[in-house]
Amino acid sequence: MCFKQKYSGFFEQLDDEYFNEERFVPAVGPEDAKVVLVGEAPGANEVEEGEPFVGRAGERMNEILHDIGVERSDLYITNLVKIRPPENRDPKSDEIKAWAPLLEKELEKVDPDVVLTLGNFASKQMLDTSKGITSIHGKMFQRNGRKIMPVFHPAATLYDRSKGPKLEEDLRKAFGKKNSGQQSLKDI
Ligand code: URA
């Protein structure tokens, strides 16, 4: 069953202004995943391939996951807003609000051990906080019986290389992977 069929109740009530078939990207990954990653919204590459995190940010994320020994295919990967915002602008608060019930339904279905929120938008929404990602990344929070760890968005590590090792460290912590002490070549 396709994603839209699975959550048809949500899509039936979603106001038309928040949906666009040509810009829609569903979640990917097993519904019995132990870890869910929540991004912000899809970009052009994601729309083209119909999958979240397949552009530059996704490649960066895949590299880190590979380095710490985590299979991307074991993870359920989704976005706060499942429509690509025009001109790659940030998602607006009314868009986030309109799509939030779907994310809740996805989390009910997958019922993961931990949810990793990537970047400010997903973290602020899921933790209901105004605190920025820089002050809360890598900490484990409990919200409505769910464990949530905010981490830097992989796209942020492309602009600010100092965030790469921090994202890696937080992901290691979340996945219980110890650092071998070996420095990754790309961080040198
Ligand atoms: N950034 C996101 O937040 N989500 C994606 O799917 C791709 C890039």
Side-chain angles (χ1 to χ4, degrees), residues 39-43 46 52-53 57 79 153:
E40 193 176 302
E46 285 73 25
F53 285 100
N79 277 306
H153 194 288

Side-chain angles (χ1 to χ4, degrees), residues 37-43 46 52-61 64 77-81 90-91 116-123 132-134 137-138 149-168 170-171:
L37 304 188
V38 182
E40 193 176 302
E46 285 73 25
F53 285 100
V54 292
R56 278 186 72 211
E59 279 171 17
R60 183 76 185 102
M61 187 176 84
I64 298 177
I77 306 174
T78 190
N79 277 306
L80 212 50
V81 171
D90 290 338
L116 299 177
T117 51
L118 309 184
N120 262 317
F121 282 90
S123 303
I133 189 71
T134 306
H137 76 92
M149 185 194 277
V151 299
F152 283 113
H153 194 288
T157 72
L158 299 170
Y159 308 119
D160 177 353
R161 291 182 64 83
S162 74
K163 292 192 171 125
K166 291 178 186 151
L167 174 58
E168 179 170 331
D170 292 347
L171 291 178

